Amino acid sequence: MEQEVRVCVFGATGYTGAELLRVLVNHPHVRIASLLSKSHFGKKLKEILPSFYGFPLGDIKLSWEPEEDFDLAFLCLPHETSLELVPELIKLGKRVIDLSGAYRIGKPDVYLEFYGFEHKHSDLLEEAVYGLPEIFREHIKGARLVANPGCYPTATLLALYPLLKERMEIESPIVDALSGVSGAGRKTTQKFHYPEMEGNAFAYSVEKHRHVPEIEHIVQKVYGKEVKVRFTPQVIPLARGMMVKLYVKCKEHDFKELYRETYKDEPFVVLLDEPPSIKQVLGSNLCLLYPYYDKERSLLQVIGVIDNLGKGASTQAVQNFNLMMGFDEGLSIRMLPIFP
Amino acid sequence: MEQEVRVCVFGATGYTGAELLRVLVNHPHVRIASLLSKSHFGKKLKEILPSFYGFPLGDIKLSWEPEEDFDLAFLCLPHETSLELVPELIKLGKRVIDLSGAYRIGKPDVYLEFYGFEHKHSDLLEEAVYGLPEIFREHIKGARLVANPGCYPTATLLALYPLLKERMEIESPIVDALSGVSGAGRKTTQKFHYPEMEGNAFAYSVEKHRHVPEIEHIVQKVYGKEVKVRFTPQVIPLARGMMVKLYVKCKEHDFKELYRETYKDEPFVVLLDEPPSIKQVLGSNLCLLYPYYDKERSLLQVIGVIDNLGKGASTQAVQNFNLMMGFDEGLSIRMLPIFP
Amino acid sequence: MEQEVRVCVFGATGYTGAELLRVLVNHPHVRIASLLSKSHFGKKLKEILPSFYGFPLGDIKLSWEPEEDFDLAFLCLPHETSLELVPELIKLGKRVIDLSGAYRIGKPDVYLEFYGFEHKHSDLLEEAVYGLPEIFREHIKGARLVANPGCYPTATLLALYPLLKERMEIESPIVDALSGVSGAGRKTTQKFHYPEMEGNAFAYSVEKHRHVPEIEHIVQKVYGKEVKVRFTPQVIPLARGMMVKLYVKCKEHDFKELYRETYKDEPFVVLLDEPPSIKQVLGSNLCLLYPYYDKERSLLQVIGVIDNLGKGASTQAVQNFNLMMGFDEGLSIRMLPIFP
Amino acid sequence: MEQEVRVCVFGATGYTGAELLRVLVNHPHVRIASLLSKSHFGKKLKEILPSFYGFPLGDIKLSWEPEEDFDLAFLCLPHETSLELVPELIKLGKRVIDLSGAYRIGKPDVYLEFYGFEHKHSDLLEEAVYGLPEIFREHIKGARLVANPGCYPTATLLALYPLLKERMEIESPIVDALSGVSGAGRKTTQKFHYPEMEGNAFAYSVEKHRHVPEIEHIVQKVYGKEVKVRFTPQVIPLARGMMVKLYVKCKEHDFKELYRETYKDEPFVVLLDEPPSIKQVLGSNLCLLYPYYDKERSLLQVIGVIDNLGKGASTQAVQNFNLMMGFDEGLSIRMLPIFP
């Protein structure tokens, strides 16, 4: 091993933490320095994540504080916890990839309205790089702090980006999005109790959702002007996976070509000639896109799928890690989807 | 029993046939005269539909031709088969409720393009009443031939109807719709093989779907002018259930009141103050609606759920039956959803 | 209506309460006097059970105490709560059907070991009739207090009963049982969080399960001597349903005939010639049984399925109700399983 | 790369083929020489297995005959096809890992009764090594032809092996086994159509199943005498996964110690102190075992889980491959289970 990066994972026992570890364990340049969990410290990882039985990593004890020195921290924490931990880590000279929403939106005032807390670290908020490699690759490379995108924004922005980049005239886009239940995290709630979620599906946060300011903020950054997005998140009965359907009124154009051209060098974005299915990307870092233009209605429609815990969270975090460290971008995240 | 209607079910062994029988068996004025199935005739019903074990109906032999005289036929058949059978039954003086699409769209030329056959019975096509009681109740009452609506059109039209009725100005609506797998029928295909459909979801027929001309035809009939609908059907991993999300650009209005007023006397349409969930209507004849107006984007959004085999097919067929026969409209279809 | 029974449901908002109400609402001789819930009192039923939207029952307010006089109480309560409430209700002259385990096992000392509480109402424990109509029909008819059986014991005892009745020599039977997740109740837990239960299955309480003394107690009562049962409950990923597989070493016999003969007049037990499937009884009061004798291994195997919330709980409670009240035993519980 | 093995996969488009490729693609010493499929030849792999979109392997054309020279063949074919192909390949000097059942049971006459064909290659049948490394590791190393075990036998034999090895006295064991639907292959059938399999579970082949002679044959080989196994396979509603529950009458013994000792050096067998769950091994090569002795009933019970497509088929095939080639046994199959 030429180079070894010592890595800490804060909040190792949630779904994004688990998926991150599943991938990092195969990374040739990563050494897991500590796994942290304030709710389960003192226990072994496998006691909280039974899929680690049979693997040395499963026997690591969860700790309250980092147990040895480290170079980079992945934060799989609640927004409020990340908010305060990030400045401390940065002050200690660590690099940070934050999977929470605490440093994604460069407008401090948004946080009070959408997250319910005041954001007092506006300098770091400004410095943080939004970790969507297909748009911000060059900025990610040198970043100290990467704000790893939300799953809905990842899929939505990859579906929108070719239009934004080309400054196409777009009228308030509609985003109708389906998510697997793991998107809501590991905490139990009545609606996600198995007997009630099996065979069920519903929309939520129709009037207001945190991912809207995140999407609109990045759109404005790339597109140069404000765009209002109508966003309807829905939960469907599957553990992992996400599908967004984007509807945009706009003039005719060779959209298939535009999308293909935009992403032709991207290792993890694939254009399809027919609608993709969620399971096609299960456990992978892929995003599959299918654009279709309806001439009769002057409407562009783009369908995209990702794994909400993969490209929508943890494997994308590793993609960012690889970029930050100057490694091959696809190291340890080129695995095939699991099928069936 | 004051009155007894002798009923035949053609195509008794598919999903709509099974659901129809589950309901009819409790109908106080129905006598099942014959169950017909060209693929399984000679066998007992329970051999093909194992949920009928333990019930006398399960021992009925499936027949090729009606075995005794009857008053009314339910057709749960392929479109092409219904197309030819309906005129024969009508000629014999029978009343008919056709669950296929063969008599739903009053424009013969649509059939060649969307169904792949020439429709030569334009007189009956014109006579057929579209069996959506909330819009066409009075016509249904006297009808000889009722064309029972498709599941997608049922949910879509109930979401649109208050706008149509009020002649609101609406710009090309977008309908994004989710369906359980039973909507595709009982015939097996690779995509719906359990290991491939579990944890999966995908859009299909994005460019062209039979339900679009059905929806647009009825919209034109009610609204008085042509409206183009963008329609994206999707399959999600559940056996039964349907959710439509309607997006319409339009001026502000008290939509909650409009919807409540429109449906205030309807026994099977219920307005909610929060997004409904699919499982809330499982096994019932209900349609739940939730309208929401996004002022910032001048966009009305309506979310509706039905059971695709209930209000989207078989229980609606019985609602039509009750109307045609002058019975209490809710007879035998007032059952509660099954939960969990 | 000749006769009207005023009924209270205590603990109306759990799964057995919901299923009970779904059935009672169609019962021609039942009037719901009050719905009680200490956790949700003051709210409307539909706020806690969204499947009641659209039905008058959904608007009933949950109360702390019965709001009007009543004749009979269904208790869908935790064991400890039932334990204390039953004597109070009996003292008031009410008849009671208790769906908890508090009065099922006529040996007070079992409760300390398996339920964790001391049972001080041994008189009522002795009086209580075990509500399995296929075995105790005559006793149920006159009972003041019926202890409605657990789901596992219902299926197990129906599979064993023909052997017990005939005093067949049986060596410690093995019962391997699969249950849908609703069997564990409505309370959320990590293991039953949708993302973790989808695609999962596991055994639990392998070393000790409450249903073992319940089964063994009834076996002893019927069979006349003690039999030790090895019982392995498992959860599989489905909302409702139960399958038991009974393995008993015994001498050859015409078991198909024995089973058929035993249950020939039973309206809700059906003998099949091939293994039944769980979904065949979804939402019904049926129990399907398939006995098979393996000559080479001198082993009788019986496979049985029920709906754990139907024959395993609430519809069986209504069957007991009908017996207690002298009604037709199948009133309001003869509904067909839902399919698919 | 020190060494490169050129590999052909026959029957690349079924579930075992897909899983095999998912693993082989990460193997440092494997070069895929050809992918063969008689049903889909001429098409690209990704057209039949959409999870290969975005990967170079997905663009490989499926061929009728091997397109270049190769060293070893994996056969993911129907039994009958493997039967005839194996001798041809061996004659050409290829090494073969056969995932079908055609060379698993060293008794030619069994095939007529259980597989419906006459087995005329008794020499190869005798030569074939049963590919269960935990029992036959040394034989596998030098083998030309490895018969990869069935999924049920793999889990059953790993649960039984410590007893066999120790010559414990065991009385006709009972094996009650649950399988995910992928165990039945990719071919569609009515029972596995999504709407019918969701929420369903059932036993099948109760009277006679191909895996019984396979299990009994290996038991006899290891144990030295005949043992009759009662085996009840069941399908439960999940895509992948398997659980066996073994029940054996036997004298008391320190079984936890025996099992731990037997498997202490095995990289892929893990002993647990509580019942394992199926999802704990999803996508991995692990087998988790939990032995429990019920003193009161003199009954040993062992619960084991594997992924039916992993340790039950394709990753075990790669484990055998590594052994045959003298590679590190765990190469490319040490991946963590996917969770959730």
Side-chain angles (χ1 to χ4, degrees):
Chain A
M1 199 187 297
E2 320 143 33
Q3 191 191 341
E4 187 184 77
V5 185
R6 292 160 304 169
V7 151
C8 275
V9 178
F10 288 77
T13 62
Y15 292 149
T16 55
E19 182 66 0
L20 189 63
L21 291 172
R22 187 175 77 94
V23 172
L24 286 180
V25 88
N26 293 322
H27 198 294
H29 303 314
V30 163
R31 186 156 63 78
I32 307 288
S34 304
L35 300 180
L36 296 98
S37 166
K38 299 231 156 161
S39 10
H40 302 294
F41 82 99
K43 295 200 172 154
K44 291 182 178 171
L45 181 65
K46 69 185 179 188
E47 293 178 67
I48 313 302
L49 289 175
S51 59
F52 284 83
Y53 270 95
F55 298 89
L57 202 64
D59 290 313
I60 291 186
K61 276 228 177 100
L62 296 162
S63 50
W64 181 271
E65 295 278 319
E67 305 227 312
E68 54 168 303
D69 199 18
F70 64 98
D71 307 300
L72 183 143
F74 287 95
L75 310 191
C76 303
L77 295 167
H79 313 294
E80 294 80 353
T81 318
S82 267
L83 179 71
E84 300 307 334
L85 183 58
V86 164
E88 292 175 29
L89 292 169
I90 293 290
K91 200 178 291 169
L92 291 169
K94 311 301 182 191
R95 297 177 85 177
V96 176
I97 298 174
D98 179 17
L99 282 83
S100 89
Y103 288 87
R104 288 182 195 150
I105 313 170
K107 297 178 174 166
D109 51 316
V110 162
Y111 283 92
L112 200 56
E113 186 184 350
F114 284 87
Y115 285 78
F117 56 72
E118 207 179 331
H119 204 305
K120 293 184 167 166
H121 307 286
S122 47
D123 49 337
L124 278 174
L125 197 53
E126 199 170 328
E127 180 189 329
V129 175
Y130 192 73
L132 196 54
E134 289 76 8
I135 306 186
F136 301 105
R137 183 170 283 113
E138 292 313 312
H139 298 84
I140 294 164
K141 286 178 180 171
R144 286 198 303 179
L145 170 58
V146 164
N148 208 60
C151 49
Y152 287 123
T154 294
T156 302
L157 290 166
L158 290 174
L160 269 172
Y161 179 55
L163 307 175
L164 305 176
K165 192 183 63 102
E166 289 298 303
R167 300 283 185 287
M168 308 291 289
E169 204 167 308
I170 56 175
E171 208 181 289
S172 51
I174 289 170
V175 176
D176 186 288
L178 313 178
S179 173
V181 185
S182 64
R186 207 177 173 194
K187 195 151 171 278
T188 65
T189 64
Q190 197 62 56
K191 287 195 159 185
F192 301 140
H193 192 42
Y194 187 88
E196 302 187 29
M197 191 62 218
E198 187 202 74
N200 202 7
F202 51 86
Y204 66 99
S205 299
V206 170
E207 312 195 0
K208 197 172 185 176
H209 191 283
R210 281 168 183 179
H211 283 163
V212 174
E214 182 178 336
I215 294 166
E216 290 180 350
H217 177 65
I218 302 299
V219 166
Q220 182 160 25
K221 217 164 173 171
V222 176
Y223 189 60
K225 57 181 180 181
E226 200 185 40
V227 171
K228 287 282 174 200
V229 175
R230 171 97 292 261
F231 179 67
T232 306
Q234 290 146 76
V235 186
I236 60 173
L238 39 85
R240 299 166 66 131
M242 171 160 288
M243 172 158 54
V244 298
K245 290 133 312 160
L246 167 70
Y247 300 93
V248 196
K249 273 268 173 200
C250 58
K251 285 208 209 96
E252 198 171 351
H253 186 90
D254 187 347
F255 289 106
K256 291 208 182 291
E257 176 54 25
L258 169 64
Y259 275 71
R260 217 166 281 276
E261 182 58 27
T262 304
Y263 291 121
K264 70 173 189 298
D265 296 326
E266 285 300 335
F268 294 111
V269 181
V270 180
L271 272 292
L272 297 192
D273 290 325
E274 52 180 27
S277 69
I278 280 183
K279 204 162 173 171
Q280 262 179 289
V281 298
L282 178 61
S284 81
N285 192 48
L286 290 178
C287 173
L288 307 181
L289 293 176
Y290 163 77
Y292 169 71
Y293 188 72
D294 179 342
K295 286 186 202 181
E296 258 188 304
R297 293 161 191 86
S298 303
L299 194 77
L300 172 68
Q301 180 170 354
V302 185
I303 303 180
V305 300
I306 59 171
D307 183 329
N308 60 306
L309 294 178
K311 183 68 179 167
S314 302
T315 58
Q316 176 146 277
V318 177
Q319 190 178 0
N320 285 320
F321 170 80
N322 286 333
L323 286 169
M324 289 166 81
M325 293 300 158
F327 298 138
D328 164 7
E329 189 174 338
L331 261 188
S332 91
I333 51 170
R334 274 198 208 91
M335 67 273 201
L336 271 155
I338 193 165
F339 173 83
Chain B
M1 197 187 298
E2 319 144 34
Q3 189 190 344
E4 187 183 75
V5 184
R6 293 160 303 168
V7 152
C8 276
V9 178
F10 289 77
T13 62
Y15 291 150
T16 54
E19 182 67 0
L20 188 64
L21 291 173
R22 186 175 78 95
V23 172
L24 286 181
V25 87
N26 294 322
H27 199 295
H29 302 315
V30 163
R31 185 156 62 79
I32 308 287
S34 304
L35 301 179
L36 297 98
S37 166
K38 299 231 157 161
S39 10
H40 302 294
F41 81 101
K43 295 199 171 156
K44 291 182 177 172
L45 182 65
K46 68 186 180 188
E47 294 178 67
I48 313 300
L49 289 174
S51 59
F52 285 83
Y53 270 94
F55 298 88
L57 201 62
D59 290 314
I60 290 187
K61 277 230 179 96
L62 297 161
S63 50
W64 182 272
E65 296 278 320
E67 306 225 315
E68 53 168 303
D69 198 17
F70 64 98
D71 307 301
L72 182 142
F74 288 96
L75 310 192
C76 303
L77 295 168
H79 313 294
E80 293 81 352
T81 319
S82 267
L83 179 71
E84 299 307 333
L85 183 58
V86 163
E88 293 174 29
L89 293 168
I90 293 291
K91 198 178 292 169
L92 291 168
K94 310 302 180 189
R95 296 178 86 176
V96 177
I97 298 174
D98 179 17
L99 282 83
S100 89
Y103 288 85
R104 289 181 194 152
I105 313 169
K107 296 177 175 166
D109 49 318
V110 162
Y111 283 91
L112 199 55
E113 186 184 349
F114 283 86
Y115 285 78
F117 56 72
E118 209 180 329
H119 204 304
K120 294 185 167 163
H121 308 286
S122 46
D123 49 337
L124 278 174
L125 197 55
E126 199 172 328
E127 180 189 329
V129 176
Y130 193 73
L132 196 54
E134 289 76 8
I135 306 186
F136 301 105
R137 182 171 284 112
E138 293 313 312
H139 298 85
I140 295 164
K141 285 179 181 169
R144 285 199 302 177
L145 169 59
V146 164
N148 208 61
C151 49
Y152 286 123
T154 293
T156 301
L157 291 166
L158 291 174
L160 270 171
Y161 179 56
L163 307 175
L164 305 176
K165 191 183 63 100
E166 288 300 303
R167 302 281 185 284
M168 309 289 290
E169 202 166 310
I170 57 175
E171 210 181 288
S172 51
I174 289 169
V175 176
D176 185 289
L178 311 178
S179 173
V181 185
S182 63
R186 208 177 172 194
K187 197 152 169 278
T188 64
T189 64
Q190 196 63 56
K191 288 195 159 185
F192 302 141
H193 193 41
Y194 187 87
E196 302 186 29
M197 191 62 219
E198 187 203 73
N200 201 8
F202 51 86
Y204 66 99
S205 300
V206 171
E207 312 193 1
K208 196 172 185 178
H209 191 285
R210 280 170 184 174
H211 284 162
V212 174
E214 182 177 336
I215 293 166
E216 290 180 351
H217 177 66
I218 302 299
V219 167
Q220 182 160 23
K221 215 163 173 172
V222 177
Y223 189 58
K225 57 180 175 181
E226 200 185 39
V227 172
K228 287 281 172 199
V229 175
R230 171 99 288 262
F231 178 68
T232 306
Q234 290 146 78
V235 185
I236 61 172
L238 40 84
R240 298 166 67 132
M242 172 159 287
M243 172 158 54
V244 298
K245 290 129 319 157
L246 168 70
Y247 300 93
V248 197
K249 275 268 173 202
C250 57
K251 287 211 210 96
E252 198 171 349
H253 187 89
D254 186 347
F255 289 106
K256 290 206 183 293
E257 176 54 26
L258 170 63
Y259 276 71
R260 215 166 284 276
E261 183 59 28
T262 305
Y263 291 121
K264 69 173 192 295
D265 296 327
E266 285 301 333
F268 294 110
V269 181
V270 180
L271 271 292
L272 297 191
D273 289 325
E274 51 181 28
S277 68
I278 280 183
K279 204 162 172 170
Q280 261 180 287
V281 298
L282 179 59
S284 82
N285 192 47
L286 290 178
C287 173
L288 307 181
L289 293 175
Y290 163 76
Y292 168 70
Y293 187 73
D294 179 343
K295 286 187 200 180
E296 257 188 302
R297 294 164 189 83
S298 303
L299 194 76
L300 172 69
Q301 180 170 353
V302 185
I303 302 179
V305 299
I306 59 171
D307 182 330
N308 60 304
L309 295 178
K311 183 66 177 168
S314 302
T315 59
Q316 177 146 279
V318 176
Q319 191 178 358
N320 285 321
F321 170 81
N322 287 333
L323 286 168
M324 287 165 82
M325 293 300 158
F327 298 138
D328 163 7
E329 188 173 339
L331 259 187
S332 89
I333 50 170
R334 272 196 210 92
M335 66 273 201
L336 270 155
I338 192 165
F339 174 85
Chain C
M1 198 188 300
E2 318 143 35
Q3 188 189 345
E4 186 183 75
V5 185
R6 290 159 306 167
V7 152
C8 275
V9 178
F10 289 75
T13 64
Y15 292 150
T16 53
E19 183 66 359
L20 188 63
L21 291 172
R22 186 174 79 93
V23 171
L24 286 179
V25 88
N26 294 322
H27 198 293
H29 302 313
V30 163
R31 186 155 62 79
I32 308 288
S34 304
L35 301 180
L36 296 98
S37 165
K38 300 232 156 160
S39 10
H40 302 294
F41 81 100
K43 293 200 173 154
K44 291 179 178 174
L45 182 65
K46 68 185 179 188
E47 294 178 67
I48 313 303
L49 290 175
S51 59
F52 284 83
Y53 270 94
F55 297 88
L57 202 64
D59 290 313
I60 290 186
K61 278 231 178 95
L62 296 162
S63 49
W64 183 270
E65 294 277 321
E67 304 226 314
E68 54 168 303
D69 199 19
F70 64 97
D71 308 300
L72 181 143
F74 288 96
L75 310 192
C76 303
L77 295 168
H79 312 294
E80 294 80 351
T81 318
S82 266
L83 179 72
E84 300 307 333
L85 184 58
V86 163
E88 293 175 29
L89 292 169
I90 293 290
K91 197 179 294 168
L92 291 169
K94 311 301 180 190
R95 297 177 85 176
V96 177
I97 298 174
D98 180 17
L99 282 82
S100 89
Y103 288 86
R104 288 181 195 151
I105 314 168
K107 297 176 175 168
D109 50 318
V110 162
Y111 282 92
L112 200 55
E113 185 184 350
F114 283 86
Y115 285 78
F117 57 72
E118 209 179 329
H119 203 305
K120 295 184 165 163
H121 308 287
S122 47
D123 50 336
L124 278 174
L125 198 53
E126 199 171 328
E127 179 188 331
V129 176
Y130 193 71
L132 195 54
E134 289 76 7
I135 306 187
F136 301 106
R137 182 170 283 114
E138 292 313 312
H139 299 84
I140 294 165
K141 285 179 181 170
R144 285 198 303 178
L145 169 59
V146 165
N148 209 62
C151 48
Y152 287 123
T154 294
T156 301
L157 291 165
L158 291 174
L160 270 171
Y161 180 55
L163 307 175
L164 306 176
K165 194 184 59 103
E166 289 299 303
R167 300 283 185 283
M168 309 289 290
E169 202 167 311
I170 57 178
E171 208 180 290
S172 52
I174 289 170
V175 177
D176 185 288
L178 312 179
S179 172
V181 185
S182 64
R186 207 178 173 193
K187 197 151 170 278
T188 65
T189 65
Q190 197 63 55
K191 287 196 161 187
F192 302 141
H193 192 42
Y194 187 87
E196 302 186 29
M197 191 62 217
E198 187 204 73
N200 202 8
F202 51 86
Y204 66 98
S205 300
V206 170
E207 312 193 2
K208 196 172 185 175
H209 191 284
R210 280 169 183 175
H211 284 162
V212 173
E214 182 177 336
I215 294 167
E216 290 180 351
H217 177 66
I218 302 300
V219 167
Q220 181 159 25
K221 217 163 172 170
V222 178
Y223 189 59
K225 58 180 174 180
E226 201 185 38
V227 172
K228 286 283 173 199
V229 176
R230 170 96 291 259
F231 178 67
T232 306
Q234 291 147 79
V235 186
I236 60 172
L238 40 84
R240 301 166 66 132
M242 171 160 287
M243 172 158 55
V244 299
K245 288 131 316 156
L246 168 70
Y247 301 92
V248 196
K249 275 267 173 202
C250 58
K251 285 208 211 98
E252 198 173 350
H253 187 89
D254 187 348
F255 290 105
K256 290 208 184 291
E257 177 54 25
L258 168 64
Y259 276 71
R260 215 166 284 277
E261 182 59 28
T262 305
Y263 290 123
K264 70 174 191 296
D265 296 326
E266 285 301 333
F268 294 110
V269 180
V270 180
L271 271 293
L272 297 192
D273 290 324
E274 52 180 28
S277 69
I278 280 183
K279 204 162 173 170
Q280 262 179 288
V281 297
L282 177 60
S284 81
N285 191 49
L286 290 178
C287 173
L288 307 182
L289 293 175
Y290 163 80
Y292 168 71
Y293 187 72
D294 179 344
K295 287 185 201 181
E296 257 188 305
R297 294 162 190 84
S298 303
L299 194 75
L300 172 69
Q301 181 169 353
V302 184
I303 303 180
V305 299
I306 59 170
D307 182 331
N308 60 304
L309 296 177
K311 182 68 177 167
S314 303
T315 59
Q316 177 146 276
V318 177
Q319 190 178 358
N320 285 320
F321 170 82
N322 287 332
L323 287 167
M324 287 165 83
M325 293 301 157
F327 298 138
D328 162 8
E329 189 173 338
L331 259 188
S332 90
I333 50 169
R334 273 196 210 94
M335 65 275 198
L336 269 155
I338 193 166
F339 173 84
Chain D
M1 196 187 299
E2 320 141 31
Q3 192 190 341
E4 188 185 75
V5 184
R6 291 161 303 168
V7 151
C8 275
V9 178
F10 288 75
T13 62
Y15 291 150
T16 54
E19 183 66 0
L20 188 64
L21 291 173
R22 187 174 79 93
V23 172
L24 285 181
V25 87
N26 294 322
H27 199 294
H29 302 315
V30 163
R31 187 157 61 77
I32 308 287
S34 304
L35 301 179
L36 296 98
S37 166
K38 300 232 157 161
S39 10
H40 302 295
F41 82 101
K43 294 201 173 154
K44 291 181 177 173
L45 181 65
K46 69 185 180 188
E47 293 178 68
I48 313 302
L49 290 174
S51 60
F52 284 83
Y53 269 95
F55 298 88
L57 203 63
D59 290 313
I60 290 188
K61 278 228 177 98
L62 296 162
S63 48
W64 182 270
E65 294 278 319
E67 305 226 314
E68 51 168 304
D69 198 17
F70 65 96
D71 307 301
L72 182 144
F74 288 97
L75 310 193
C76 303
L77 295 168
H79 313 295
E80 293 81 352
T81 319
S82 266
L83 179 71
E84 300 306 332
L85 184 57
V86 163
E88 292 175 30
L89 292 169
I90 292 291
K91 198 179 294 171
L92 291 168
K94 311 301 180 190
R95 297 178 84 177
V96 176
I97 298 174
D98 179 17
L99 283 84
S100 89
Y103 288 86
R104 290 182 194 149
I105 313 168
K107 296 178 177 166
D109 50 316
V110 162
Y111 283 91
L112 198 57
E113 185 182 351
F114 283 86
Y115 285 78
F117 56 73
E118 206 179 332
H119 203 306
K120 295 185 166 163
H121 308 286
S122 47
D123 48 338
L124 279 174
L125 198 54
E126 198 170 329
E127 178 189 331
V129 176
Y130 193 71
L132 196 55
E134 290 75 10
I135 306 186
F136 301 105
R137 182 170 284 114
E138 293 313 312
H139 297 84
I140 294 165
K141 284 178 183 172
R144 284 198 303 178
L145 169 58
V146 165
N148 209 60
C151 48
Y152 286 122
T154 294
T156 301
L157 290 167
L158 291 174
L160 270 172
Y161 179 56
L163 307 175
L164 305 177
K165 192 182 62 99
E166 290 299 303
R167 301 284 185 281
M168 309 290 290
E169 203 167 310
I170 57 177
E171 208 181 289
S172 52
I174 289 171
V175 177
D176 185 289
L178 312 179
S179 172
V181 186
S182 64
R186 207 176 172 194
K187 196 151 170 277
T188 65
T189 63
Q190 196 63 55
K191 287 196 160 185
F192 301 141
H193 192 43
Y194 187 87
E196 302 186 29
M197 191 62 218
E198 188 203 73
N200 202 9
F202 50 86
Y204 65 99
S205 300
V206 169
E207 313 194 1
K208 194 173 188 176
H209 191 283
R210 281 171 183 173
H211 283 162
V212 174
E214 182 178 336
I215 293 166
E216 291 180 351
H217 177 65
I218 303 299
V219 166
Q220 181 159 24
K221 215 160 172 172
V222 176
Y223 189 60
K225 58 179 175 179
E226 200 185 39
V227 171
K228 286 284 173 198
V229 176
R230 170 96 292 260
F231 178 67
T232 307
Q234 292 146 76
V235 186
I236 61 173
L238 39 85
R240 299 165 66 130
M242 172 160 285
M243 173 158 54
V244 298
K245 290 133 311 159
L246 168 70
Y247 301 92
V248 196
K249 274 266 174 203
C250 56
K251 285 209 210 94
E252 198 170 353
H253 187 89
D254 188 346
F255 290 105
K256 289 206 184 294
E257 177 54 24
L258 168 64
Y259 276 70
R260 217 167 282 278
E261 183 59 27
T262 305
Y263 291 121
K264 71 172 189 300
D265 296 324
E266 284 301 333
F268 294 110
V269 181
V270 180
L271 271 293
L272 296 192
D273 289 325
E274 52 181 26
S277 69
I278 279 183
K279 203 163 173 169
Q280 262 178 289
V281 298
L282 178 60
S284 82
N285 192 48
L286 291 177
C287 173
L288 307 181
L289 293 176
Y290 164 79
Y292 169 72
Y293 187 73
D294 179 344
K295 287 186 201 181
E296 257 188 304
R297 294 163 190 83
S298 304
L299 194 75
L300 171 68
Q301 179 170 356
V302 185
I303 303 180
V305 299
I306 59 170
D307 183 331
N308 60 306
L309 295 178
K311 182 68 176 167
S314 301
T315 60
Q316 176 146 279
V318 176
Q319 190 177 358
N320 285 320
F321 170 81
N322 287 332
L323 286 167
M324 288 165 82
M325 293 299 157
F327 298 137
D328 161 8
E329 188 173 339
L331 260 188
S332 91
I333 51 170
R334 275 199 207 89
M335 67 275 200
L336 271 154
I338 193 166
F339 173 84

